[in-house]
């Protein structure tokens, strides 16, 4: 093993190396760009002072410092591309991606020890005891900086580095976000990063429904009310057609015993139509290892989703609680509020839901729900960091380890 450290821009472009040499195994560790900037060193401390004692002026000098703009891209690409900050081109980003594809392994510093364990398994050597807390940031970069305007400024200047880091998670040897969710006691965290080919999604994924279905003809005003976005109240109009699809949200009149929407197919059609009109939220019920983050990656290409694997994140609206799942009476309100921000969210359940899923108002006209099912044994064999620690890597398991794996109660009828 050897290491090449690049605090400076490499004198020879890294793309010139024969990364495909059969005598070379290459590894790169990726890191969140703002977390990297906040790592600091002697030079940074001399220039801008210690983080917790910095004045507002010092923080802005730190943010405007040109020496750290798109630090990863400027090291990975030729011609110092990336130094243009927010004006860095898409072509520069693609050049960085192309180089990362050529490396044998990508690790994510957020779960570096688990990554090193997986690497050891791949390459056939053992590692000494590792501190499982290394590389994991306990306080977010936004909280450490303590100024949203400053944080957004740094984010904007280093946007291409962020895009490169987020993209690299799909190629990382270990799924850090899935590990975080597996080890989290909070139902508000979750997610993972399974790789989705950039060109493998269909932008028209939700346009396969009957586009000629006319709901104003199919249902009468007696069958539904409208939720007026402007007044925040329900109405039962004589002619629904008097309002545009952007002004109304169709809702069922649940106080009628003979309500036509008690029919499941009618409810489903209404939900779908509302989603297409921007009035219903798409929700994935993600049982861990059921391709939830593949789904999330596809949905991110279609529209806004929560930043943290579609489960939550810093951009979650303050008006909506972070718990999951929802009780029946809060489903409508939460779905309506979230649809103003996102078109899609995900609820991942590696743990048993703290509230029974049957409590959710799945018939809400403001909610389109999806679940991905999977063969149970295929799911068990998906594995994760916890399973690897308990039973070893699949191809190296002894007969005894396989029986321990089979008898493990934590995955029975998952």
């Amino acid at each position: 093993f050897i290491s090449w450290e690049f605090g400076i821009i490499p004198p020879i472009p890294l793309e010139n190396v024969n990364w495909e040499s059969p005598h070379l195994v290459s590894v790169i560790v990726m890191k969140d760009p703002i977390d990297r900037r906040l790592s600091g060193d002697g030079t940074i401390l001399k220039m801008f002072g210690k983080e917790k004692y910095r004045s507002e002026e010092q923080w802005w000098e730190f943010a405007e410092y040109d020496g750290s703009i798109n630090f990863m891209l400027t090291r990975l690409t030729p011609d110092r591309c990336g130094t243009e900050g927010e004006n860095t081109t898409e072509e520069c980003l693609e050049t960085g991606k192309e180089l990362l594809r050529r490396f044998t392994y990508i690790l994510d510093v957020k779960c570096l020890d688990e990554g090193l364990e997986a690497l050891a398994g791949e390459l056939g050597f053992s590692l000494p005891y590792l501190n499982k807390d290394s590389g994991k940031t306990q306080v977010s970069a936004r909280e450490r900086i303590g100024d949203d305007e400053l944080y957004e400024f740094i984010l904007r200047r280093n946007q291409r580095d962020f895009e490169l880091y987020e993209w690299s998670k799909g190629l990382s040897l270990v799924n850090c976000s899935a590990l975080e969710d597996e080890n989290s006691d909070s139902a508000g965290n979750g997610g993972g990063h399974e790789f989705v080919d950039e060109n493998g999604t269909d932008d028209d994924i939700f346009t396969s429904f009957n586009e000629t279905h006319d709901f104003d003809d199919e249902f009468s005003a007696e069958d539904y009310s409208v939720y007026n976005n402007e007044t925040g109240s329900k109405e039962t109009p004589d002619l629904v057609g008097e309002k545009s699809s952007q002004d109304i949200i169709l809702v069922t009149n649940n106080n009628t015993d003979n309500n036509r929407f008690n029919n499941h197919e009618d409810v489903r059609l209404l939900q779908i139509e509302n989603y297409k009109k921007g009035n219903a939220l798409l929700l994935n019920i993600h049982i861990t290892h059921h391709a939830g983050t593949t789904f999330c990656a596809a949905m991110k290409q279609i529209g806004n989703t929560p930043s943290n694997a579609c489960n939550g994140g810093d951009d979650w609206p303050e008006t909506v609680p972070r718990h999951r799942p929802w009780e029946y009476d809060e489903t409508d309100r939460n779905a309506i509020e979230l649809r103003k921000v996102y078109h899609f969210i995900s609820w991942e359940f590696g743990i048993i839901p703290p509230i029974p899923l049957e409590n959710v108002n799945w018939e809400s006209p403001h909610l389109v729900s999806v679940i991905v099912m999977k063969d149970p044994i295929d799911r068990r064999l998906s594995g994760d960091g916890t399973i690897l620690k308990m039973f070893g890597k699949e191809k190296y398991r002894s007969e005894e380890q396989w029986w321990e794996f089979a008898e493990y109660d934590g995955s029975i009828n998952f």
Side-chain angles (χ1 to χ4, degrees), residues 278-311:
N279 295 329
L281 178 72
L282 181 60
L283 166 64
N284 177 36
I285 301 90
H286 174 197
I287 298 173
T288 296
H289 297 314
H290 282 214
T293 34
T294 298
F295 198 169
C296 171
M299 294 302 96
K300 282 182 179 293
Q301 297 183 46
I302 294 170
N304 286 342
T305 67
S307 60
N308 183 14
C310 298
N311 284 267

Side-chain angles (χ1 to χ4, degrees), residues 380-412:
R380 289 245 17 216
L381 293 173
S382 299
D384 55 29
T386 302
I387 295 297
L388 290 175
K389 289 174 193 172
M390 294 174 68
F391 309 111
K393 193 161 186 180
E394 189 177 308
K395 62 182 178 180
Y396 300 122
R397 273 179 205 153
S398 64
E399 181 179 357
E400 181 182 6
Q401 286 175 311
W402 270 114
W403 276 105
E404 289 173 353
F405 170 79
E407 293 168 348
Y408 175 54
D409 290 341
S411 295
I412 293 177

Side-chain angles (χ1 to χ4, degrees), residues 108-118 127 130-136:
D108 188 338
V109 79
K110 285 186 74 175
C111 56
L112 181 59
D113 293 328
E114 289 84 357
L116 290 173
E117 285 184 335
L127 287 171
L130 295 169
N131 176 9
K132 297 304 178 186
D133 290 329
S134 68
K136 296 175 183 175

Side-chain angles (χ1 to χ4, degrees), residues 172-307:
S172 182
L173 182 60
V174 171
N175 183 333
C176 293
S177 295
L179 284 179
E180 286 178 352
D181 186 66
E182 189 75 24
N183 296 326
S184 175
D185 292 327
S186 169
N189 297 322
H193 294 276
E194 298 163 342
F195 177 59
V196 177
D197 185 86
E198 300 166 88
N199 300 315
T201 59
D202 180 0
D203 287 341
D204 296 324
I205 192 168
F206 289 113
T207 59
S208 58
F209 302 112
N210 185 357
E211 294 289 348
T212 62
H213 189 92
D214 188 341
F215 273 73
D216 289 346
D217 292 338
E218 183 71 17
F219 302 112
S220 71
E222 296 175 355
D223 294 320
Y224 57 82
S225 300
V226 295
Y227 182 95
N228 190 318
N229 279 338
E230 294 177 358
T231 65
S233 61
K234 288 184 180 180
E235 301 172 4
T236 305
D238 294 329
L239 292 173
V240 172
E242 291 177 357
K243 293 180 180 289
S244 74
S245 63
Q246 299 305 313
D247 294 329
I248 65 170
I249 300 174
L250 299 172
V251 296
T252 59
N253 289 326
N254 290 319
N255 59 341
T256 305
D257 291 338
N258 296 320
N259 191 345
R260 292 181 60 188
F261 293 114
N262 288 334
N263 177 287
H264 175 73
E265 185 59 20
D266 285 347
V267 170
R268 179 178 171 276
L269 290 172
L270 179 59
Q271 291 169 330
I272 292 167
E273 186 68 9
N274 275 345
Y275 171 82
K276 290 194 215 174
K277 291 181 177 181
N279 295 329
L281 178 72
L282 181 60
L283 166 64
N284 177 36
I285 301 90
H286 174 197
I287 298 173
T288 296
H289 297 314
H290 282 214
T293 34
T294 298
F295 198 169
C296 171
M299 294 302 96
K300 282 182 179 293
Q301 297 183 46
I302 294 170
N304 286 342
T305 67
S307 60

